[in-house]
Amino acid sequence: MSSQVAVAQPARPASAWSSDEAILIYVALATFVVHLLTGGRYGFHRDELATLDDARHLAWGYVAYPPITPFFARISLTLFGTSLVGFRLFAALAQAIAVVLTGLMAREIGGSRGAQLVAAAAAIPFCLAGGALMQYVSFDYLFWVLTAYFVVRLLNSEDPRWWLAIGSSIGLGMMAKYTMGFFTLGIVAGVLLTPARKYLASKWLWYGVALSLLAFLPNFIWQAQHHFISLDFLRDIHARDIRIGRTKNFLPEQIELTLFGFPLALAGLYYCLISSAGRRFRMLGWMYVVPLVLFIIAKGRSYYLAGAYPMLYAVGSVWGERWLASMRPAWRSVLRAVAWTALVSDIAITAAFTLPIAPLNSAWFQRAARIQGDFREELGWRELVGKVAEIRDSLPAQERTRLGVLAANYGEAGAINLYGPEYRLPQAISGINSFWQRGYGDPPPETLIALGFSRGFLQRNFSSCEVAGHTPNPYNIENEETSDHPDIYVCRGLRQSWPEFWSDFHYYG
């Protein structure tokens, strides 16, 4: 077979409503509808509570992440208020777009409608998981897939102007999550190690580089103004992840990440890197291998590489289609049935354990919560805030006038700020991540309701602290709040001045 992919594209259907693109959009819309139908169950996840609070304080950067995710969260708040389904809408939409792009990559590489649907179906499991919460993972993934799609368009068309789209996507991806830098190094390697090196002499590549830097510039300036605080955050979080073992199974967890789609990804990698027929798309292979190796060396978490798989699914589906075409019709039918059974099983398994559909405290819920702990961290926040308000109401009237709520983690602080206005509670005070930058109020509080802290920390910093209540557990489900630090304290008499205390109170989580 020629090294140049030259597969005749099927004739366009008479109606745009039945075109290949339309079918892919219908598939993606189905995932979007599933997210809308299930997204209102349980409650806000602790990570979402932090993002929601950051969305109320728009900036070009935050301690824990770049600004794209809070920006879309702010749009959600503006359009839908604090609706849980509305808050998650843009994450679900981002994942649905990634499904369409995966199918379109297969089309661009030369795949028929069948190959496009196989590639899209392989991308659906992560779409369901990644769109279930409003999180930066959702947008990071989208920009990896979008960048890969633009690279495929570049390689297939050989039109160097696609570097403008590639550069823009890289820059916006850096505004979603800094792991885009690893993917960018894969692109650099792909250019240097394949025939794509011819583009080094093209002005369009360098215009693309300039666009990527321009898109990322506002966040870079913010980081410079804040002493590159996110580097401290990332070092701290990375050390924690290594310490508690979150990075030790990176390679085995790639199979968990892709499930039955893993053979399809391997087929795509083989086609790109080894097969002579895939020479035109060699660059895609390096765009996977380089981030893979870098994440192994740097001890990254397994899901960091998720955005690199859709391009392999697309290539693998085209390779598989051509391989099947060389087989006897009977074997072809059997293998297609096996492949679709595997992909549909992936979708069903992922939906069962990542979408909030299991009845609370059912055996199904308990198993899902053991596999991934997100569900447990979506429960009990409103009740926790209600308990804080109850403790506030039990205090003497004179203490309520200079009252503060000191929260140890961003889930507690975000919950207080979300539900607290219903109870006329003050905004939370916390030293974690970007909450620290918002200060402790003026005038500073004299009496504090403290939640999430150890007794030892509070006794070292306050002249008196007493247990005033416990984190409620209305669903009888253990999570971080109910098991790790259930005591809620009332504290008085800060031993230092507030400026002195605050200067040492910043920490990451």
Side-chain angles (χ1 to χ4, degrees):
M1 185 180 294
S2 169
S3 62
Q4 300 295 312
V5 178
V7 175
Q9 295 292 338
R12 278 188 175 275
S15 171
W17 295 97
S18 58
S19 66
D20 291 350
E21 296 91 338
I23 299 301
L24 291 172
I25 291 172
Y26 301 150
V27 171
L29 278 177
T31 70
F32 184 69
V33 171
V34 167
H35 280 129
L36 293 183
L37 293 176
T38 62
R41 302 199 65 198
Y42 308 164
F44 287 96
H45 188 273
R46 66 169 62 248
D47 292 354
E48 291 179 305
L49 290 169
T51 302
L52 188 151
D53 201 76
D54 284 337
R56 300 184 191 275
H57 304 83
L58 284 183
W60 284 113
Y62 301 86
V63 172
Y65 34 61
I68 283 281
T69 308
F71 171 74
F72 281 105
R74 178 62 170 267
I75 296 176
S76 295
L77 288 175
T78 302
L79 295 176
F80 311 111
T82 55
S83 160
L84 183 57
V85 174
F87 188 69
R88 293 171 173 173
L89 183 143
F90 285 106
L93 182 59
Q95 294 299 296
I97 293 172
V99 170
V100 175
L101 290 171
T102 304
L104 291 178
M105 279 192 279
R107 177 182 174 84
E108 192 69 21
I109 293 166
S112 69
R113 177 175 293 186
Q116 295 168 45
L117 288 174
V118 166
I124 288 177
F126 191 88
C127 164
L128 296 178
L133 299 176
M134 179 60 169
Q135 54 188 338
Y136 57 68
V137 174
S138 308
F139 301 97
D140 174 56
Y141 179 85
L142 171 61
F143 284 114
W144 279 52
V145 178
L146 183 63
T147 302
Y149 170 73
F150 290 145
V151 169
V152 169
R153 294 299 303 267
L154 167 76
L155 297 176
N156 201 35
S157 68
E158 297 189 342
D159 184 345
R161 289 174 295 182
W162 281 106
W163 281 111
L164 300 179
I166 294 168
S168 299
S169 184
I170 289 172
L172 291 173
M174 286 291 289
M175 296 287 272
K177 194 170 186 285
Y178 299 125
T179 47
M180 173 56 78
F182 289 83
F183 199 42
T184 303
L185 292 175
I187 294 172
V188 171
V191 169
L192 295 176
L193 299 173
T194 72
R197 71 176 65 89
K198 67 184 179 182
Y199 292 113
L200 290 171
S202 169
K203 64 181 180 181
W204 297 106
L205 182 148
W206 300 106
Y207 288 164
V209 171
L211 277 178
S212 68
L213 296 175
L214 183 64
F216 179 58
L217 183 60
N219 182 248
F220 182 84
I221 293 173
W222 184 92
Q223 291 289 351
Q225 291 171 338
H226 293 80
H227 310 290
F228 294 94
I229 192 170
S230 292
L231 294 179
D232 292 335
F233 168 84
L234 292 171
R235 278 192 292 266
D236 188 88
I237 295 301
H238 185 56
R240 178 206 65 185
D241 288 344
I242 294 175
R243 184 174 64 252
I244 65 179
R246 287 182 174 175
T247 65
K248 65 180 181 181
N249 295 317
F250 180 88
L251 283 175
E253 287 177 357
Q254 296 309 301
I255 298 176
E256 295 179 19
L257 190 66
T258 54
L259 298 175
F260 292 126
F262 189 68
L264 190 65
L266 284 181
L269 190 62
Y270 162 80
Y271 184 81
C272 289
L273 284 183
I274 298 174
S275 170
S276 60
R279 184 173 182 268
R280 172 177 288 188
F281 298 100
R282 283 280 191 271
M283 186 172 168
L284 300 181
W286 290 108
M287 286 165 57
Y288 174 81
V289 169
V290 170
L292 171 70
V293 172
L294 292 176
F295 283 136
I296 292 172
I297 294 171
K299 299 185 185 300
R301 296 186 64 177
S302 59
Y303 69 86
Y304 292 176
L305 194 60
Y309 284 102
M311 62 185 181
L312 297 186
Y313 294 151
V315 178
S317 68
V318 176
W319 176 88
E321 181 176 62
R322 295 172 184 173
W323 178 62
L324 287 176
S326 67
M327 306 189 76
R328 293 180 179 179
W331 277 107
R332 192 184 310 157
S333 299
V334 170
L335 290 173
R336 279 178 176 156
V338 169
W340 275 109
T341 300
L343 293 174
V344 171
S345 298
D346 277 356
I347 294 169
I349 292 169
T350 304
F353 293 111
T354 63
L355 295 178
I357 53 181
L360 290 177
N361 267 326
S362 64
W364 176 6
F365 178 91
Q366 296 295 344
R367 177 167 294 183
R370 283 195 298 272
I371 292 173
Q372 52 90 13
D374 286 340
F375 292 160
R376 289 193 297 263
E377 303 306 325
E378 298 177 38
L379 301 170
W381 295 112
R382 185 183 290 273
E383 292 80 6
L384 174 62
V385 176
K387 185 63 178 180
V388 171
E390 179 185 317
I391 293 172
R392 183 273 314 276
D393 293 342
S394 71
L395 297 174
Q398 64 271 22
E399 291 196 336
R400 295 182 221 164
T401 60
R402 295 282 295 274
L403 178 73
V405 180
L406 190 66
N409 65 56
Y410 52 72
E412 296 157 350
I416 292 293
N417 291 350
L418 174 61
Y419 300 118
E422 299 176 22
Y423 302 95
R424 300 184 305 280
L425 287 170
Q427 291 286 288
I429 298 169
S430 182
I432 194 165
N433 298 351
S434 293
F435 284 92
W436 179 83
Q437 296 172 330
R438 291 160 203 158
Y440 46 81
D442 184 21
E446 295 178 348
T447 302
L448 287 155
I449 299 174
L451 51 158
F453 294 97
S454 68
R455 178 186 291 272
F457 171 84
L458 295 173
Q459 288 178 338
R460 287 193 301 272
N461 287 281
F462 295 91
S463 58
S464 71
C465 281
E466 58 190 31
V467 175
H470 303 282
T471 300
N473 190 2
Y475 307 102
N476 196 32
I477 293 171
E478 292 296 318
N479 59 21
E480 182 178 331
E481 299 303 313
T482 59
S483 62
D484 294 1
H485 35 71
D487 295 334
I488 303 174
Y489 296 84
V490 171
C491 298
R492 303 172 180 88
L494 185 64
R495 297 183 186 275
Q496 308 173 71
S497 69
W498 270 100
E500 291 173 328
F501 172 74
W502 205 250
S503 66
D504 294 327
F505 191 50
H506 196 198
Y507 53 93
Y508 306 115

